[in-house]
Amino acid sequence: MYSPQRKDFVSLTLGDQHSRSYTNGKHRRQSCWRKWKQLSRLQHSLILFLLAFLFICGILSYPSLTEQWRGLSDRSLKEDWVELDNRGLRPIPPGLVPKLPPVVPGVQDVPPEVMPETQRPSIPLLPKPPAMRKPPSKRGPPALQKRGNVSDWQVKDGEEAMVKREEDGGKEAKTVISWRGTMIEAEQGTELQSTAHGKEGTVADAEEAADLKPVTVKAVDRAEAVREAFRHAWKGYKAFAWGHDELKPISKTHGEWFGLGLTLIDALDTMWILGLKDEFAEARKWVETELSFSKNVDVNLFESTIRILGGLLSTYHLTGDTLFLDKAKDIGFRLMPAFKTPSKIPYSDVNIGKGTAHPPRWTTDSTVAEVTSIQLEFRELSRLTQDPQYQNAVEEVTKQVHRLEGKRDGLVPMFINTNSGKFTRRGAFTLGARADSYYEYLLKQWLQGGKKETELLEDYLQAIEGVKKNLLRQTSPGKLTFDHLVCFLPGTLALGAHNGLPADHMDLAVQLVETCHQMYAQMETGLSPEIAHFNLQSNNGRDIDVKPADRHNLLRPETVESLFYMYRFTKDSKYRDWGWDILQSFNKYTRVPSGGYTSIGNVRDPLNPAPRDKMESFFLGETLKYLFLLFSDDNELISLDKYVFNTEAHPLPIWPSTS
């Protein structure tokens, strides 16, 4: 503590020897002068010394007096701030709108950040800051600890947030301090006021102008934000995993599954659709010079079909480049040994170099989803090559599953035996993994073939009725509809309704996609867990619970896939807004500064989302593709009346009608 301010003064009493009182000021001054003259020289010196001493002390004490007055001024300002706070509003404090340096497109690591829609108030208001808690000393792997969180633009208060220039002139961005902690969020497109000379104004100029009129806010180019996200992901893949299956963005290395460049092949048609010509050209060169399937390696039939064969066929149709068709023929032929089984139900694994196939080491079963979700690709390969062996093989599987016993109201079990051709482990029915895309491919094969194969449509319609009867539930207290939830289903239902199937399919799609949205919105990071549990009884006030082991997010596409379909068919802008929220959450919690995005381990902890150091190929092949199509205003860009997407988001053409 500081000691009380010292008071330096001398008390001096001057009195009249006759003790008379004076009423005239002039007489008093004359009397004082006479008294002064009567003092001795020593007394004169003492008085003058004391006066000089007081004067010097006054000069020395001036800064402390200034600080006292400044403190009073600050207290007055704080009182005004508290008054505004009590009303729930806070203006942006002066001095917190730094001018950002220009950024060269394609070079910076920082994505476009959150920006309010143009309908919002023109002068931003900051919410009351929540109670701050001290963050843990470490937040994830060393590569992400530098700035206290997993995102590469969550920086300390006062640091500048770099924002990508827009293509039409690279206008500066205004930043708003986020009260969530150590982050500065950039509002793109906010224009600074100009000086009298027509040049860009300074920060001080902009602050003064902000007091005079509202700030103009320009709408975000959301499609361009997806392009930027892809470029950032591609930057990491190119730098640390080029030609390999998967990027490990945190450790700056790669992972292999089959050793066939899965991420690159999966992303080919995405780059073409996004108009990323340079990136596509360098990927095409790798396919031409480096991609070889003559390797002694086991691959999964299902994953290779939907990612590699599907990706090559799709890219061929979009570009007309026969290089991709030739590669598709090569991999398709090498996968055919999988169908050499006693039942003609294919094995799960194929050695594409040796031409042999086998089931998993622990079982002779294959999953129903895997053997019934390869039909779109092999049927299209037969159409292009005029070789019926591919279509015959997969349609034999479809026919067998169609007539098998063991279904329940059109729902199928999860496993099928490759020796007997019968369903096994019949007790469990689900729309989740091991059965999900069976239902999706029933509808899509019917669409692919021109709506002529009635058995496929009958099986699909029966299955949807089985879903309604056996799998639909409602949560408590929010009454969310769920189906042991798979979030591709709303999009599939909407696609069917668009093609003339019952209107209540669209009603169900609307309910289910709302639940999928809530799986994101109710998580602290804004990202969905891998598995959610839905409360049927109102026991804790939450509709959705997540077990600790299920809190990871793998950058999956299913919800944005359904948002894309729902927006295409309804034009309801809320689906775009929900997709935008998801993209921003990906940028905030999964983006890695050096390039790439990572899956995370805990969607419930925004301070430590636990990066898992893996970017799945479907993030580029599906998630970003569906987000771009969601935000595109061009309905003819992959028209849903001309193309059908395989389960890895690779568009294949609907076959032309023949007389």
Side-chain angles (χ1 to χ4, degrees):
M1 295 178 63
Y2 292 102
S3 60
Q5 185 176 350
R6 194 176 71 180
K7 298 180 180 179
D8 295 316
F9 61 89
V10 173
S11 177
L12 182 63
T13 303
L14 300 176
D16 184 74
Q17 59 181 347
H18 302 292
S19 299
R20 291 181 298 178
S21 62
Y22 292 88
T23 58
N24 187 289
K26 181 178 180 180
H27 291 166
R28 283 198 301 271
R29 288 193 296 272
Q30 291 175 350
S31 176
C32 289
W33 176 248
R34 283 197 301 269
K35 293 294 185 182
W36 172 258
K37 292 175 64 177
Q38 292 174 1
L39 295 175
S40 66
R41 180 176 298 178
L42 178 61
Q43 290 173 321
H44 286 170
S45 300
L46 179 60
I47 292 173
L48 292 174
F49 173 80
L50 291 174
L51 291 174
F53 179 80
L54 289 174
F55 179 75
I56 293 173
C57 290
I59 293 176
L60 294 176
S61 64
Y62 177 76
S64 62
L65 293 174
T66 302
E67 290 298 323
Q68 291 180 13
W69 282 107
R70 187 176 299 166
L72 291 175
S73 176
D74 289 344
R75 284 194 297 273
S76 177
L77 178 61
K78 291 175 182 177
E79 289 171 0
D80 293 340
W81 185 273
V82 171
E83 180 181 355
L84 286 173
D85 185 47
N86 292 335
R87 299 199 323 243
L89 304 174
R90 280 193 176 183
I92 300 176
L96 294 182
V97 188
K99 179 180 177 181
L100 300 179
V103 180
V104 178
V107 176
Q108 91 293 356
D109 290 339
V110 183
E113 255 291 357
V114 182
M115 193 191 90
E117 294 295 318
T118 55
Q119 294 86 353
R120 295 187 181 181
S122 56
I123 299 179
L125 299 174
L126 297 181
K128 179 179 179 181
M132 300 296 292
R133 61 169 176 158
K134 184 178 180 181
S137 58
K138 292 185 178 180
R139 299 176 181 175
L144 298 185
Q145 293 173 14
K146 181 178 180 181
R147 292 180 178 174
N149 209 334
V150 297
S151 75
D152 54 330
W153 66 95
Q154 292 182 7
V155 296
K156 296 180 181 180
D157 289 335
E159 291 185 353
E160 293 182 344
M162 297 177 62
V163 181
K164 184 181 182 299
R165 273 183 164 182
E166 295 194 31
E167 293 178 353
D168 60 354
K171 296 184 179 179
E172 298 289 350
K174 180 173 71 65
T175 58
V176 178
I177 299 300
S178 167
W179 293 107
R180 284 174 294 198
T182 58
M183 184 175 68
I184 297 179
E185 297 182 6
E187 291 187 62
Q188 283 192 329
T190 303
E191 299 178 357
L192 295 179
Q193 303 298 325
S194 299
T195 64
H197 301 288
K199 297 181 180 179
E200 188 178 64
T202 64
V203 173
D205 294 333
E207 291 168 357
E208 292 176 2
D211 295 331
L212 301 178
K213 60 181 179 180
V215 177
T216 301
V217 178
K218 183 180 178 181
V220 170
D221 186 342
R222 293 177 172 181
E224 182 60 33
V226 178
R227 284 195 185 97
E228 195 283 332
F230 186 99
R231 289 190 184 102
H232 184 79
W234 190 253
K235 170 188 171 184
Y237 177 76
K238 183 178 178 181
F240 309 120
W242 184 250
H244 297 283
D245 285 344
E246 294 167 338
L247 168 66
K248 293 185 175 181
I250 298 171
S251 57
K252 300 181 181 180
T253 183
H254 62 268
E256 295 288 29
W257 192 2
F258 308 142
L260 298 175
L262 281 183
T263 292
L264 188 149
I265 297 174
D266 228 356
L268 284 169
D269 57 2
T270 304
M271 288 182 278
W272 187 265
I273 291 169
L274 270 60
L276 301 175
K277 297 180 181 179
D278 293 341
E279 291 83 353
F280 181 84
E282 61 190 0
R284 184 201 180 279
K285 183 176 181 181
W286 182 88
V287 171
E288 182 179 25
T289 60
E290 302 294 333
L291 178 59
S292 172
F293 298 123
S294 58
K295 293 184 177 181
N296 180 16
V297 59
D298 279 1
V299 302
N300 178 271
L301 170 66
F302 168 70
E303 298 291 353
S304 298
T305 299
I306 65 171
R307 301 191 197 210
I308 300 176
L309 179 57
L312 292 170
L313 289 172
S314 172
T315 307
Y316 164 69
H317 280 295
L318 293 175
T319 65
D321 190 337
T322 56
L323 166 68
F324 302 106
L325 178 57
D326 292 339
K327 294 293 183 180
K329 292 176 183 178
D330 189 6
I331 186 63
F333 180 79
R334 292 174 182 274
L335 292 174
M336 288 303 292
F339 295 91
K340 296 179 181 179
T341 69
S343 66
K344 298 186 180 179
I345 300 297
Y347 290 129
S348 62
D349 296 284
V350 186
N351 188 303
I352 57 175
K354 292 182 177 180
T356 59
H358 59 86
R361 292 182 178 85
W362 57 90
T363 181
T364 58
D365 291 346
S366 290
T367 64
V368 172
E370 290 186 353
V371 302
T372 59
S373 303
I374 54 179
Q375 278 70 11
L376 291 177
E377 298 83 357
F378 278 100
R379 282 160 47 116
E380 178 61 16
L381 184 59
S382 276
R383 190 178 75 90
L384 292 173
T385 63
Q386 298 298 305
D387 186 345
Q389 66 167 321
Y390 307 111
Q391 183 169 351
N392 291 342
V394 294
E395 288 190 346
E396 176 62 29
V397 177
T398 301
K399 292 175 182 177
Q400 288 195 42
V401 173
H402 170 72
R403 59 177 179 258
L404 273 179
E405 296 181 356
K407 300 178 186 177
R408 179 186 297 174
D409 300 317
L411 303 178
V412 295
M414 293 185 289
F415 297 95
I416 189 169
N417 189 271
T418 55
N419 291 324
S420 67
K422 305 289 186 181
F423 290 132
T424 60
R425 289 175 266 182
R426 299 184 182 184
F429 297 87
T430 178
L431 289 176
R434 301 188 178 93
D436 48 4
S437 49
Y438 160 73
Y439 307 102
E440 175 188 0
Y441 267 43
L442 288 174
L443 175 67
K444 291 182 175 180
Q445 286 180 82
W446 176 68
L447 294 175
Q448 181 190 46
K451 304 180 182 179
K452 298 175 181 178
E453 299 156 289
T454 56
E455 285 186 350
L456 295 169
L457 178 60
E458 290 170 359
D459 285 352
Y460 174 76
L461 291 173
Q462 186 180 10
I464 298 305
E465 292 305 311
V467 170
K468 295 178 184 177
K469 179 179 178 180
N470 298 288
L471 298 181
L472 288 187
R473 300 288 187 275
Q474 278 194 333
T475 68
S476 180
K479 302 301 181 184
L480 298 177
T481 301
F482 69 97
D483 56 7
H484 294 205
L485 192 79
V486 286
C487 284
F488 79 89
L489 186 59
T492 301
L493 289 167
L495 180 62
H498 174 71
N499 283 277
L501 301 189
D504 65 350
H505 286 203
M506 178 59 82
D507 297 336
L508 180 56
V510 170
Q511 298 174 49
L512 291 175
V513 78
E514 167 66 28
T515 304
C516 293
H517 164 62
Q518 290 299 325
M519 290 174 64
Y520 284 80
Q522 292 189 22
M523 299 300 112
E524 286 79 354
T525 60
L527 294 174
S528 172
E530 181 73 2
I531 301 173
H533 298 268
F534 297 86
N535 289 326
L536 298 178
Q537 298 178 350
S538 181
N539 52 5
N540 64 356
R542 294 179 66 100
D543 294 277
I544 301 172
D545 281 335
V546 186
K547 295 180 180 179
D550 302 330
R551 294 179 177 180
H552 50 289
N553 180 284
L554 304 182
L555 312 174
R556 285 197 184 276
E558 286 81 3
T559 294
V560 293
E561 173 185 358
S562 287
L563 294 176
F564 157 65
Y565 282 108
M566 296 301 290
Y567 179 75
R568 274 282 178 100
F569 298 140
T570 69
K571 297 303 178 184
D572 190 333
S573 61
K574 73 179 181 183
Y575 299 121
R576 279 183 161 179
D577 294 338
W578 294 352
W580 181 241
D581 291 341
I582 292 172
L583 177 59
Q584 290 182 95
S585 293
F586 280 139
N587 279 332
K588 190 173 298 181
Y589 296 107
T590 73
R591 182 171 170 127
V592 179
S594 56
Y597 290 73
T598 178
S599 53
I600 59 174
N602 192 349
V603 299
R604 301 297 306 273
D605 189 350
L607 290 179
N608 183 19
R612 293 161 64 101
D613 194 20
K614 187 177 183 180
M615 186 178 78
E616 301 277 358
S617 77
F618 53 66
F619 182 66
L620 300 186
E622 299 186 73
T623 307
L624 293 181
K625 181 187 299 169
Y626 279 128
L627 282 169
F628 182 82
L629 292 172
L630 171 64
F631 299 141
S632 173
D633 292 323
D634 183 4
N635 286 339
E636 291 302 309
L637 181 61
I638 315 299
S639 167
L640 294 175
D641 294 322
K642 299 177 182 177
Y643 289 90
V644 60
F645 286 91
N646 83 339
T647 197
E648 189 73 9
H650 297 304
L652 300 174
I654 293 174
W655 297 347
S657 299
T658 57
S659 58

